[in-house]
Amino acid sequence: MGETTIPKLSDNRVFKCLFSVIGIMSSLVIYGILQEKIMKVPYGNKKEERFKYSLFLVFCNRLTTSTVSAVVLLATNKSVNPVAPISRYAVVSVSNIIATTCQYEALKYVSFPVQTLAKCAKMIPVMLWGSVIMQKKYNIKDYLVAVFVTVGCSLFILYPDSGDISILEKARESTVLGVLLMLGYLGFDGFTSTFQDKLFKGYDMEIQNQLFFTTTCSCLISLFSLMFQGHLIPAVEFIFRNPDCFYDVIILSSVATASQFFISYTIRNFGALTFAIIMTTRQVIVFGTLYAKSLLRNKPEKPVLPTNSEPDATNSNKS
């Protein structure tokens, strides 16, 4: 009798998928909380200064990811030469910068829970870009499911109820601009993941190789943009003037690097649409948790029954 071959754990697709799901969900939850804190919570002794240089956060995130990728490539004796034309890496880089900038800017106009729910529409742009870039075909049922999710997200954002979850008054007044920024994020983010999928399938490319060259391009682009806008020095002065912000940016960049590795790992092994489905599931779980907490917080208290400690008004008058 032949021996039963037990597949290695690292070759098991179920294990790989579970690894991707846990890694993406855990890292992006921390990333989202820190992202909202940096962009919305005031810093300083008097809590009057707000950090407003979203592109600087993109630069720090990409610089950290690029450095870590280079270290991993060198430590594992893998080639640091590009396996695809630099222009291909640059396309991913530019679209990723635009998507991330839209995401940060949207936080000025919509709350994190609203942004979380809006991201449930990730499947539609990925499917559309997959049809254009990779010539994939989806049936009508797939599109209908994605459309229904998007309609639900749009209704929630455009018509918030007074009891919704921690939506700031300023966010209510600027909801339309917030929606436009989120649409920009979804469109460019969908393009980024789909084009990454195309690069992985078209070239014999390691995850660290793609991350190194795309994030290096992102570093250069965001650095020149910061210098052109005159935001580089003010951003650096702000974080050194506010040590709490400095530490938040360091942690954010570290978490962003971890999430980039998990995202690229997922796209390389399962494709862009699977990544979008994981992200959609994550948004539903996060929003469901926030909504449940909101319901518990706003649960009406039981009425307090009157006691007999106070004298009855009728008896008092008779006396």
Side-chain angles (χ1 to χ4, degrees), residues 197-222:
D197 193 6
K198 182 178 177 67
L199 287 182
F200 279 129
K201 287 181 169 60
Y203 300 90
D204 185 16
M205 183 180 293
E206 296 288 339
I207 293 173
Q208 294 82 4
N209 182 279
Q210 184 180 122
L211 282 177
F212 173 69
F213 285 100
T214 54
T215 54
T216 300
C217 290
S218 297
C219 283
L220 296 174
I221 295 171
S222 55

Side-chain angles (χ1 to χ4, degrees), residues 114 155-164 167 172 175:
V114 171
L155 288 176
F156 178 82
I157 295 173
L158 293 175
Y159 303 102
D161 185 61
S162 58
D164 280 333
I167 302 177
R172 292 180 184 275
T175 299

Side-chain angles (χ1 to χ4, degrees), residues 8-249:
K8 293 181 180 179
L9 192 61
S10 59
D11 296 333
N12 191 309
R13 286 184 65 82
V14 175
F15 170 77
K16 287 183 176 181
C17 186
L18 186 63
F19 176 75
S20 300
V21 171
I22 294 175
I24 290 174
M25 289 191 176
S26 58
S27 61
L28 289 184
V29 164
I30 302 171
Y31 179 83
I33 293 171
L34 284 170
Q35 175 184 265
E36 186 179 32
K37 179 186 176 183
I38 293 172
M39 295 302 297
K40 283 192 171 183
V41 176
Y43 289 97
N45 294 329
K46 297 182 179 179
K47 301 297 182 182
E48 294 178 348
E49 286 191 287
R50 291 183 181 272
F51 190 85
K52 54 185 179 180
Y53 309 104
S54 57
L55 191 58
F56 181 77
L57 296 181
V58 177
F59 169 71
C60 292
N61 293 348
R62 301 303 176 261
L63 179 62
T64 304
T65 306
S66 176
T67 304
V68 172
S69 300
V71 170
V72 172
L73 285 172
L74 293 173
T76 54
N77 295 320
K78 293 180 180 177
S79 175
V80 293
N81 297 321
V83 297
I86 295 296
S87 59
R88 297 289 180 129
Y89 296 107
V91 168
V92 175
S93 172
V94 171
S95 64
N96 183 251
I97 286 178
I98 296 174
T100 309
T101 303
C102 287
Q103 182 183 18
Y104 281 126
E105 290 299 315
L107 275 173
K108 297 177 182 178
Y109 306 101
V110 297
S111 67
F112 176 62
V114 171
Q115 192 180 105
T116 296
L117 187 60
K119 290 178 184 178
C120 289
K122 270 179 173 284
M123 290 175 63
I124 287 184
V126 170
M127 292 167 70
L128 293 175
W129 284 121
S131 300
V132 174
I133 297 174
M134 304 186 70
Q135 305 300 313
K136 291 186 175 181
K137 294 182 180 181
Y138 302 98
N139 58 45
I140 189 67
K141 182 180 178 181
D142 296 329
Y143 282 110
L144 284 175
V145 170
V147 167
F148 283 136
V149 172
T150 304
V151 170
C153 295
S154 301
L155 288 176
F156 178 82
I157 295 173
L158 293 175
Y159 303 102
D161 185 61
S162 58
D164 280 333
I165 308 166
S166 69
I167 302 177
L168 304 177
E169 291 302 319
K170 183 177 179 182
R172 292 180 184 275
E173 298 171 0
S174 307
T175 299
V176 174
L177 179 56
V179 170
L180 292 176
L181 287 168
M182 284 308 301
L183 288 175
Y185 161 74
L186 290 171
F188 283 102
D189 185 70
F191 175 86
T192 301
S193 58
T194 306
F195 206 83
Q196 282 182 289
D197 193 6
K198 182 178 177 67
L199 287 182
F200 279 129
K201 287 181 169 60
Y203 300 90
D204 185 16
M205 183 180 293
E206 296 288 339
I207 293 173
Q208 294 82 4
N209 182 279
Q210 184 180 122
L211 282 177
F212 173 69
F213 285 100
T214 54
T215 54
T216 300
C217 290
S218 297
C219 283
L220 296 174
I221 295 171
S222 55
L223 178 61
F224 286 127
S225 298
L226 283 167
M227 294 172 64
F228 178 77
Q229 297 172 9
H231 290 172
L232 179 61
I233 295 178
V236 173
E237 290 177 344
F238 183 97
I239 64 172
F240 279 104
R241 188 167 61 250
N242 299 281
D244 289 346
C245 183
F246 177 75
Y247 296 130
D248 286 342
V249 171

Side-chain angles (χ1 to χ4, degrees), residues 1-6:
M1 294 180 64
E3 295 182 357
T4 303
T5 304
I6 301 176

